[in-house]
Amino acid sequence: MFKNPLKYHCFGLFFAFFLAFCLKPDRGDCSDFQSSRTMGLGGAGHANPLLNDAIYMNPSFTSFIPYRSFGASYLWHGTGQNTESGTGYNLSILDGSKDALFQAGVGFTKRGDSSIVHIGASKSVIDRLGFGLGAKIILPAGTNDRHFESTLSFTGIVTDWFQAAIMVDNLFQNHANLGYYREWILGTKINALSIVSLFIDPHWVPALPAGQNWGYEAGLEFTVFSDFYLRFGEFRNSLIPFRATRGNGFGAGLGWLAPKISVDYGISRTLSPVLATAHQIGLTIFF
């Protein structure tokens, strides 16, 4: 199936627009999508997103993922009050195969306040430098409105142990009233002997007031066995994936990576502006 990469990309784009114009969201509350792995790292990982995470975190990294994959995840969250609890899910497909004209992916996220279709495409300029473009189709809950935004990113594999990425999210900032502010993100990853990886992702949102416009996500990923991972992370003045707001908190998680499947679990604890907890489990099949 989909032996022709161009046909595969066309199918993905058709799938994205089908979702955008045919699915109707209902209410709740969330923000831009984070996978179970990303949640465990406190939102960090832009320099080296795992598999389908690249669609949302850094489209340019798709050129360094030599797989075709399908991903699905389910999230539930709460604050201890029934009125503040909710659920969400995500579905995605990605083609990073090198025989394609370009690498691309598409994902659909059902959140509380809205639903979003993400589309990402990239091309490796040289072996260690990637360029990527992303698009968002935002469907606010309870309305027939459709909003569009875009993402620009670059990834550099500097050495075997260090890589970095620069990303501008919500490039045009046409929908700041919905919380989609232009955000500059520097993603970094340091790999120490393939045992532990350190992620530090500072970000800047010029439109926010002083004291709130700078923040970061930082995380550690430990390789316990060759196929089992533990993750810990912290975030400050960052998007909270299940609250549609910014705040501070931490995350933790674990993952199992087999030859053709990845299973991940993440937990995120928000400390401010309100105490809240989210759990998420994700499955990715790749070939």
Side-chain angles (χ1 to χ4, degrees), residues 124-188:
S124 180
V125 181
I126 56 177
D127 289 344
R128 290 178 174 264
L129 180 62
F131 165 77
L133 290 171
K136 302 178 188 181
I137 305 170
I138 307 157
L139 301 92
T143 74
N144 293 321
D145 297 338
R146 297 180 181 89
H147 307 287
F148 297 85
E149 256 299 350
S150 62
T151 300
L152 174 68
S153 67
F154 299 87
T155 296
I157 310 297
V158 183
T159 69
D160 292 338
W161 57 269
F162 177 73
Q163 54 199 70
I166 297 176
M167 179 175 171
V168 186
D169 198 14
N170 303 318
L171 185 62
F172 299 110
Q173 196 173 254
N174 290 328
H175 307 292
N177 61 314
L178 299 177
Y180 292 91
Y181 299 105
R182 183 180 300 117
E183 183 169 3
W184 294 78
I185 303 165
L186 173 63
T188 61

Side-chain angles (χ1 to χ4, degrees), residues 83-251:
T83 57
E84 295 293 336
S85 63
T87 61
Y89 63 85
N90 173 272
L91 300 170
S92 61
I93 55 174
L94 179 143
D95 184 1
S97 55
K98 296 301 182 182
D99 56 344
L101 296 176
F102 58 94
Q103 291 72 46
V106 58
F108 172 74
T109 304
K110 171 64 182 70
R111 318 171 322 172
D113 66 322
S114 62
S115 297
I116 300 182
V117 175
H118 283 87
I119 304 169
S122 71
K123 186 66 179 177
S124 180
V125 181
I126 56 177
D127 289 344
R128 290 178 174 264
L129 180 62
F131 165 77
L133 290 171
K136 302 178 188 181
I137 305 170
I138 307 157
L139 301 92
T143 74
N144 293 321
D145 297 338
R146 297 180 181 89
H147 307 287
F148 297 85
E149 256 299 350
S150 62
T151 300
L152 174 68
S153 67
F154 299 87
T155 296
I157 310 297
V158 183
T159 69
D160 292 338
W161 57 269
F162 177 73
Q163 54 199 70
I166 297 176
M167 179 175 171
V168 186
D169 198 14
N170 303 318
L171 185 62
F172 299 110
Q173 196 173 254
N174 290 328
H175 307 292
N177 61 314
L178 299 177
Y180 292 91
Y181 299 105
R182 183 180 300 117
E183 183 169 3
W184 294 78
I185 303 165
L186 173 63
T188 61
K189 176 191 176 183
I190 299 173
N191 188 308
L193 303 175
S194 299
I195 298 173
V196 59
S197 294
L198 169 64
F199 302 88
I200 302 176
D201 298 0
H203 56 77
W204 177 47
V205 185
L208 292 180
Q212 301 177 27
N213 54 358
W214 285 97
Y216 66 85
E217 297 95 18
L220 288 170
E221 183 175 68
F222 296 91
T223 305
V224 182
F225 302 108
S226 60
D227 59 349
F228 186 76
Y229 302 86
L230 289 178
R231 300 165 184 136
F232 304 94
E234 179 190 14
F235 56 92
R236 182 174 180 81
N237 288 337
S238 299
L239 283 171
I240 300 172
F242 55 99
R243 296 294 306 173
T245 188
R246 291 179 176 268
N248 308 326
F250 62 88

Side-chain angles (χ1 to χ4, degrees), residues 252-282:
L254 50 86
W256 174 63
L257 183 65
K260 298 293 183 182
I261 190 172
S262 173
V263 180
D264 299 277
Y265 165 77
I267 180 172
S268 180
R269 177 66 169 170
T270 301
L271 302 178
S272 65
V274 64
L275 289 175
T277 304
H279 305 265
Q280 185 168 226
I281 187 166

